[in-house]
Amino acid sequence: MVQSTSPPAMSGGTAQRVVVEDFFGVIKLFSDGSVVRGDETTIIPPGPYPDAPGVQWKDAVYDAARCLKVRVYKPSPAAAACGSEGNNKLPVLVYFHGGGYCIGAYDQPIFHSFCQRLAAGIPAVVLSVQYRLAPEHRLPAAIEDAATFFSWLRGAGAAEPWLAGSADLSRTFVSGVSAGANLAHNAVVQIASGQIVLEPPVRVAGYVLFSAFFGSEERVATESDPPAGASLTVAMSDQLWRMALPVGATRDHPLANPFAPGSPSLEPLPPALVVAPGRDVLYGHVLRYAARLKEMGKAVELAEFVDEGHGFSVGQPSEATEELMGILKRFVNRHAALS
């Protein structure tokens, strides 16, 4: 199905639209700012992906004005009982999907399956958040949506029956893959600085970045000399940033480069788990991020998967994804116990 944000250019002397960005035919951005979208299954595999036995899920609206939803996942009672460790409520994992801020959706099979596996594997109540996409809605639109979501979570969301009955919001973790990891980072920065206000019962105990989508004008080593077999290329990454950032912004915009001039302080950040796949052109950015946090004395755990590619966490289950789930479970349980 093809979607367009505006009607075709008119004839009769009116200047014709020119394609200024074409992302594999899935996104065509025209010179007048209009966008035509194609079938994302040509670049995001449609599956099938496995369901996790016993996991229930349902959608709730967190922003009625924009019709934005959150999908709530709840593990089976048996899994929840195994993971409760004396607490009859579960930790909460907020999750933002990937796609370079330009593609992807919270309800796509690849992300839907992964969130089920998260709910069952940790176990936790998982909240998969829809947000607006660029280039129709350039950054900071997605960050604003995250702020709206957390406002909902501390109010109406806390009263949502599944959350009220099963979720310990004082043990909330914020996570995401690729652009979703970038969004998780920026949301946690705003929470830590007080720009996004959280009040009891919501408290962020830590955050998790899977294959984070960071950038800078200065190339890291894995961009200058990409690893063999990298699925995300430097050209693709650059193109996504051009469509996602405010018009005219460079990759040293603070939302892309957390260490650029003018970027907010990272001092108040909670404990972090940073997952770095080695066959990823962004590997150098992710390593630099973890290293800078360690230099600052922050509590950060780096999990490297040298033979895996960008976004491997949401792919088909494998030995690597099983290992990752174990690392994630230990991180959440350790920091949930400290909260």
Side-chain angles (χ1 to χ4, degrees):
M1 182 184 218
V2 175
Q3 296 179 327
S4 175
T5 58
S6 67
M10 298 176 63
S11 57
T14 303
Q16 294 295 306
R17 297 184 302 169
V18 176
V19 176
V20 293
E21 299 285 358
D22 185 346
F23 191 72
F24 299 98
V26 173
I27 301 174
K28 288 186 178 181
L29 173 62
F30 291 82
S31 53
D32 63 357
S34 60
V35 177
V36 173
R37 287 185 174 268
D39 182 5
E40 289 192 8
T41 62
T42 59
I43 55 176
I44 297 181
Y49 295 92
D51 290 329
V55 174
Q56 298 176 284
W57 60 271
K58 67 177 181 179
D59 288 348
V61 175
Y62 77 85
D63 185 345
R66 296 191 174 100
C67 297
L68 293 174
K69 299 177 181 180
V70 54
R71 181 159 289 182
V72 184
Y73 297 84
K74 186 172 67 169
S76 68
C82 290
S84 62
E85 297 185 356
N87 188 340
N88 62 358
K89 291 190 176 182
L90 295 169
V92 174
L93 186 74
V94 175
Y95 183 78
F96 297 104
H97 69 80
Y101 281 117
C102 296
I103 59 174
Y106 79 107
D107 56 356
Q108 281 178 332
I110 193 170
F111 302 118
H112 178 63
S113 173
F114 182 59
C115 287
Q116 290 184 67
R117 303 201 311 266
L118 289 172
I122 295 174
V125 175
V126 176
L127 305 177
S128 183
V129 184
Q130 181 184 24
Y131 55 89
R132 289 173 291 167
L133 298 179
E136 297 93 331
H137 305 284
R138 290 175 177 266
L139 290 170
I143 315 298
E144 294 166 354
D145 293 340
T148 302
F149 166 76
F150 282 107
S151 177
W152 171 85
L153 185 62
R154 73 172 187 260
E160 206 286 329
W162 278 16
L163 294 181
S166 302
D168 182 354
L169 291 169
S170 71
R171 299 186 293 157
T172 294
F173 294 80
V174 184
S175 70
V177 63
S178 191
N182 178 285
L183 178 49
H185 158 79
N186 282 295
V188 169
V189 167
Q190 291 198 1
I191 290 168
S193 68
Q195 291 176 266
I196 296 177
V197 178
L198 294 186
E199 299 171 352
V202 183
R203 177 183 173 276
V204 173
Y207 69 110
V208 183
L209 307 186
F210 302 102
S211 305
F213 184 53
F214 291 128
S216 64
E217 285 299 292
E218 180 184 1
R219 296 297 189 191
V220 295
T222 49
E223 290 175 312
S224 300
D225 184 17
S231 58
L232 176 72
T233 67
V234 174
M236 291 165 63
S237 174
D238 289 354
Q239 185 176 20
L240 290 166
W241 278 125
R242 287 197 303 270
M243 293 192 292
L245 289 168
V247 174
T250 72
R251 294 186 303 277
D252 279 333
H253 190 285
L255 293 179
N257 182 358
F259 307 111
S263 295
S265 171
L266 305 184
E267 284 292 343
L269 291 180
L273 171 61
V274 178
V275 179
R279 288 172 46 213
D280 185 358
V281 296
L282 303 181
Y283 182 56
H285 286 290
V286 177
L287 293 183
R288 181 176 66 177
Y289 180 85
R292 291 284 184 91
L293 291 184
K294 286 184 178 180
E295 289 170 5
M296 294 167 60
K298 307 303 298 179
V300 55
E301 180 179 344
L302 175 64
E304 295 186 66
F305 289 79
V306 295
D307 295 323
E308 301 301 321
H310 184 80
F312 80 96
S313 58
V314 297
Q316 296 288 355
S318 66
E319 186 175 326
T321 62
E322 286 300 310
E323 181 183 351
L324 175 59
M325 188 64 70
I327 293 170
L328 174 61
K329 181 175 182 176
R330 289 190 294 273
F331 176 82
V332 169
N333 288 342
R334 180 168 62 254
H335 292 287
L338 297 174
S339 62

